[in-house]
Amino acid sequence: MAITLPDLPFAEDALAPVISARTLEFHYGKHHRAYVDNTNKMIEGTDLAEADLLTIIKKTAGDTSLAGLFNNAAQVWNHSFYWQCIRPGGGGAPSGPVLKKIEADLGGYEKFVEAFKAAGATQFGSGWAWLVLRDNKLEIIKTTNADTPVAHDLTPLLTVDVWEHAYYLDYQNRRPDYLGAFTEKLINWDFVEANLGG
Ligand code: MN
């Protein structure tokens, strides 16, 4: 089975002006597509040729001789997840079980926003900030480059891509502004709730 590029869950211009169509044209249409194409080239003719994406990620994680494949496969997974984490008219505080869980584990919505934005802003260079479940408790973490919680047996609930290609056309060097817009205007809390199992 080939690894496939999932459709974007919204039109390329649907997030503007928070994220422009131009950014999505490159971020989804070039970067994400290239990770898919590279992964398929690298697994062709190997014993991972028929494997699904999560299997490829778990079998290559931590193996420096397979770092190229891990990086591309993990980036396919991370981006497919990221698009589902955002939506037009999203963001702001959640309600229901997600809000209750944030209050219980993270001290409330304002503290979540502060910690999530800080994780994204302090990830040096390329990477991701995440809301994950570890032992059924919420935790905010960051990963470098392509690294992904699914390689570490954590359950991801939400992510923000802080590679420059995610925001540079719209925010240039102002990563904190992108993170502020992400939390205020983009987060798809229904997706987070589904990931929480609620
Ligand atoms: Mn990206």
Side-chain angles (χ1 to χ4, degrees), residues 1-46:
M1 87 180 60
I3 302 304
T4 54
L5 180 69
D7 291 336
L8 267 186
F10 35 74
E12 276 193 358
D13 61 357
L15 303 178
V18 187
I19 293 180
S20 65
R22 185 85 171 140
T23 288
L24 287 177
E25 181 187 339
F26 279 88
H27 195 186
Y28 171 74
K30 307 285 186 196
H31 291 279
H32 193 181
R33 185 181 301 279
Y35 297 129
V36 171
D37 292 345
N38 289 339
T39 300
N40 283 324
K41 277 183 210 148
M42 288 178 183
I43 60 175
E44 194 179 341
T46 76

XYZ file of all heavy atoms in Angstrom, residues 1-46:
362
model
N 0.854 -1.198 0.000
C 0.000 0.000 0.000
C 0.887 1.244 0.000
O 1.871 1.298 0.744
C -0.923 -0.027 1.221
C -0.324 0.577 2.478
S -1.376 0.583 3.944
C -1.713 -1.142 4.200
N 0.529 2.159 -0.828
C 1.306 3.406 -0.829
C 0.778 4.327 0.267
O -0.387 4.265 0.644
C 1.190 4.077 -2.189
N 1.673 5.148 0.772
C 1.265 6.182 1.718
C 0.611 7.297 0.912
O 1.126 7.699 -0.128
C 2.500 6.713 2.483
C 3.207 5.573 3.218
C 2.106 7.835 3.439
C 2.348 4.793 4.182
N -0.525 7.793 1.387
C -1.257 8.781 0.596
C -1.322 10.137 1.290
O -1.223 10.222 2.517
C -2.710 8.311 0.320
O -3.315 8.006 1.572
C -2.714 7.079 -0.560
N -1.481 11.171 0.476
C -1.670 12.526 0.984
C -3.163 12.731 1.231
O -3.954 12.707 0.286
C -1.166 13.540 -0.057
C -1.295 15.017 0.314
C -0.343 15.376 1.451
C -1.029 15.904 -0.906
N -3.585 12.906 2.489
C -5.019 13.115 2.729
C -5.468 14.481 2.208
O -4.665 15.408 2.128
C -5.140 13.056 4.257
C -3.792 13.410 4.771
C -2.788 12.990 3.723
N -6.744 14.572 1.856
C -7.278 15.880 1.458
C -7.223 16.829 2.643
O -7.381 16.411 3.791
C -8.741 15.747 1.022
C -8.886 14.992 -0.283
O -7.915 14.971 -1.068
O -9.964 14.410 -0.514
N -7.029 18.119 2.358
C -7.176 19.133 3.406
C -8.636 19.134 3.858
O -9.535 19.056 3.022
C -6.854 20.525 2.858
C -5.451 21.090 2.966
C -5.477 22.530 2.465
C -4.901 21.026 4.375
N -8.908 19.265 5.161
C -10.303 19.271 5.613
C -11.021 20.608 5.396
O -12.128 20.798 5.888
C -10.194 18.932 7.105
C -8.800 19.221 7.506
C -7.954 19.165 6.263
N -10.380 21.548 4.683
C -11.004 22.849 4.390
C -10.370 23.357 3.099
O -9.344 22.830 2.654
C -10.762 23.857 5.532
C -9.409 23.697 6.185
C -8.258 24.115 5.556
C -9.296 23.088 7.432
C -7.017 23.949 6.149
C -8.054 22.900 8.026
C -6.913 23.336 7.379
N -10.975 24.375 2.489
C -10.407 24.954 1.275
C -9.112 25.695 1.600
O -8.914 26.143 2.735
C -11.411 25.916 0.641
N -8.229 25.811 0.600
C -6.926 26.435 0.854
C -7.039 27.889 1.316
O -6.160 28.391 1.995
C -6.036 26.360 -0.400
C -5.315 25.030 -0.499
C -4.205 25.004 -1.533
O -3.987 26.024 -2.228
O -3.561 23.955 -1.650
N -8.143 28.552 0.943
C -8.287 29.963 1.348
C -9.198 30.118 2.574
O -9.511 31.237 2.977
C -8.818 30.804 0.183
C -10.195 30.355 -0.296
O -10.733 29.345 0.247
O -10.737 30.992 -1.211
N -9.583 29.010 3.192
C -10.601 29.074 4.261
C -10.069 29.619 5.582
O -10.844 30.039 6.424
C -11.198 27.684 4.486
N -8.755 29.594 5.774
C -8.189 30.049 7.054
C -7.708 31.497 6.994
O -7.292 32.053 8.019
C -7.025 29.148 7.478
C -7.328 27.654 7.625
C -6.061 26.896 8.002
C -8.420 27.408 8.650
N -7.731 32.101 5.822
C -7.266 33.477 5.655
C -8.155 34.426 6.444
O -9.364 34.196 6.520
C -7.274 33.843 4.173
N -7.602 35.490 7.023
C -6.191 35.895 6.920
C -5.299 35.303 8.020
O -4.139 35.665 8.100
C -6.282 37.418 7.088
C -7.406 37.595 8.075
C -8.394 36.486 7.767
N -5.821 34.412 8.845
C -5.002 33.870 9.940
C -3.840 33.066 9.353
O -2.692 33.214 9.756
C -5.853 33.000 10.887
C -5.036 32.590 12.103
C -7.109 33.740 11.311
N -4.175 32.181 8.419
C -3.159 31.500 7.599
C -3.606 31.661 6.151
O -4.731 31.293 5.795
C -3.025 30.008 7.971
C -2.443 29.859 9.392
C -2.132 29.284 6.962
C -2.286 28.420 9.852
N -2.728 32.197 5.323
C -3.110 32.545 3.956
C -3.173 31.320 3.045
O -2.557 30.284 3.317
C -2.092 33.538 3.387
O -0.820 32.912 3.272
N -3.899 31.484 1.945
C -3.939 30.436 0.924
C -2.541 30.161 0.376
O -2.199 29.024 0.057
C -4.876 30.862 -0.211
N -1.728 31.198 0.293
C -0.353 31.045 -0.206
C 0.457 30.126 0.709
O 1.196 29.266 0.239
C 0.291 32.435 -0.271
C 1.675 32.460 -0.881
C 1.599 32.541 -2.381
N 2.912 32.782 -2.957
C 3.333 32.189 -4.073
N 2.563 31.332 -4.714
N 4.513 32.475 -4.568
N 0.296 30.307 2.018
C 0.991 29.411 2.956
C 0.518 27.973 2.770
O 1.328 27.048 2.702
C 0.759 29.863 4.412
O 1.497 31.061 4.643
C 1.230 28.806 5.409
N -0.811 27.783 2.651
C -1.316 26.409 2.510
C -0.922 25.797 1.169
O -0.665 24.597 1.087
C -2.834 26.386 2.693
C -3.262 26.598 4.143
C -4.776 26.632 4.255
C -2.716 25.505 5.053
N -0.842 26.643 0.143
C -0.416 26.152 -1.170
C 0.971 25.508 -1.067
O 1.220 24.436 -1.627
C -0.394 27.339 -2.141
C -0.004 27.003 -3.551
C 0.166 28.285 -4.391
O -0.380 29.351 -4.024
O 0.866 28.200 -5.414
N 1.859 26.147 -0.322
C 3.211 25.599 -0.157
C 3.271 24.541 0.948
O 3.885 23.486 0.768
C 4.207 26.727 0.148
C 4.638 27.449 -1.087
C 3.902 28.533 -1.574
C 5.759 27.044 -1.801
C 4.276 29.189 -2.734
C 6.146 27.699 -2.960
C 5.398 28.777 -3.431
N 2.651 24.844 2.097
C 2.794 23.959 3.258
C 2.142 22.605 2.993
O 2.747 21.550 3.236
C 2.174 24.632 4.488
C 2.558 24.012 5.782
N 2.013 24.405 6.977
C 3.425 23.023 6.094
C 2.549 23.685 7.947
N 3.401 22.840 7.436
N 0.934 22.628 2.466
C 0.230 21.371 2.150
C 0.650 20.853 0.766
O 1.054 19.694 0.620
C -1.283 21.607 2.185
C -2.085 20.443 1.664
C -2.228 19.275 2.419
C -2.694 20.501 0.405
C -2.960 18.202 1.921
C -3.424 19.429 -0.091
C -3.551 18.285 0.668
O -4.270 17.217 0.180
N 0.587 21.722 -0.202
C 0.769 21.297 -1.590
C 2.199 20.936 -1.962
O 2.423 20.136 -2.886
N 3.167 21.523 -1.285
C 4.584 21.225 -1.592
C 5.251 20.444 -0.467
O 5.795 19.367 -0.704
C 5.369 22.524 -1.833
C 4.770 23.446 -2.874
C 4.989 22.949 -4.281
C 4.507 23.984 -5.294
N 4.358 23.409 -6.634
N 5.242 20.992 0.757
C 5.976 20.333 1.845
C 5.346 18.984 2.226
O 6.025 17.961 2.242
C 6.065 21.252 3.073
C 6.945 22.433 2.863
N 8.315 22.378 2.979
C 6.657 23.720 2.516
C 8.829 23.570 2.727
N 7.845 24.409 2.443
N 4.057 19.002 2.562
C 3.414 17.753 2.986
C 3.466 16.724 1.846
O 3.789 15.557 2.065
C 1.967 18.054 3.409
C 1.302 16.935 4.152
N 0.004 17.026 4.588
C 1.711 15.693 4.516
C -0.338 15.904 5.210
N 0.685 15.079 5.170
N 3.180 17.164 0.637
C 3.219 16.249 -0.510
C 4.611 15.650 -0.694
O 4.762 14.461 -0.999
C 2.790 16.989 -1.781
C 2.691 16.086 -3.008
C 2.283 16.892 -4.243
N 1.008 17.572 -4.090
C -0.193 16.982 -4.254
N -0.252 15.715 -4.602
N -1.305 17.668 -4.095
N 5.648 16.465 -0.492
C 7.020 15.962 -0.663
C 7.343 14.895 0.383
O 8.024 13.903 0.079
C 8.017 17.113 -0.567
N 6.860 15.080 1.621
C 7.098 14.047 2.644
C 6.435 12.723 2.236
O 7.002 11.643 2.437
C 6.562 14.498 4.007
C 7.228 15.728 4.596
C 6.470 16.803 5.058
C 8.627 15.807 4.707
C 7.075 17.934 5.611
C 9.234 16.931 5.264
C 8.447 17.993 5.711
O 9.051 19.103 6.265
N 5.232 12.810 1.670
C 4.534 11.606 1.192
C 5.329 10.950 0.058
O 5.606 9.741 0.081
C 3.106 11.959 0.714
C 2.456 10.765 0.012
C 2.240 12.427 1.887
N 5.720 11.748 -0.928
C 6.452 11.197 -2.078
C 7.781 10.589 -1.643
O 8.163 9.509 -2.103
C 6.701 12.296 -3.126
C 5.410 12.763 -3.787
O 4.383 12.071 -3.650
O 5.428 13.837 -4.438
N 8.506 11.270 -0.752
C 9.798 10.750 -0.277
C 9.623 9.441 0.478
O 10.419 8.510 0.309
C 10.477 11.781 0.642
C 10.980 12.989 -0.127
O 11.186 12.925 -1.331
N 11.162 14.096 0.571
N 8.589 9.398 1.320
C 8.337 8.156 2.081
C 8.092 6.996 1.121
O 8.674 5.913 1.261
C 7.130 8.334 3.025
O 7.416 9.396 3.935
C 6.849 7.059 3.806
N 7.247 7.223 0.118
C 6.944 6.144 -0.835
C 8.183 5.692 -1.599
O 8.378 4.490 -1.828
C 5.831 6.586 -1.789
C 4.464 6.529 -1.121
O 4.192 5.634 -0.316
N 3.605 7.482 -1.436
N 9.048 6.644 -1.976
C 10.293 6.261 -2.678
C 11.188 5.427 -1.767
O 11.819 4.470 -2.209
C 11.049 7.524 -3.112
C 10.540 8.122 -4.414
C 11.383 9.341 -4.812
C 10.521 10.319 -5.590
N 10.906 11.723 -5.395
N 11.251 5.822 -0.480
C 12.175 5.143 0.437
C 11.709 3.748 0.840
O 12.532 2.897 1.163
C 12.369 5.994 1.693
C 13.202 7.244 1.429
S 13.343 8.247 2.932
C 14.256 9.645 2.287
N 10.398 3.499 0.845
C 9.934 2.161 1.250
C 9.820 1.214 0.061
O 9.736 -0.001 0.259
C 8.566 2.214 1.993
C 7.475 2.820 1.112
C 8.700 2.937 3.321
C 6.076 2.786 1.752
N 9.855 1.753 -1.146
C 9.696 0.909 -2.337
C 10.751 -0.198 -2.362
O 11.941 0.059 -2.211
C 9.817 1.798 -3.594
C 9.349 1.118 -4.847
C 9.465 2.034 -6.077
O 9.569 3.271 -5.912
O 9.482 1.493 -7.183
N 10.314 -1.425 -2.520
C 11.248 -2.551 -2.619
C 11.840 -2.994 -1.291
O 12.704 -3.875 -1.263
N 11.411 -2.398 -0.162
C 11.919 -2.808 1.154
C 10.842 -3.606 1.873
O 9.703 -3.708 1.391
C 12.290 -1.589 2.028
O 11.078 -0.992 2.525
C 13.091 -0.559 1.237
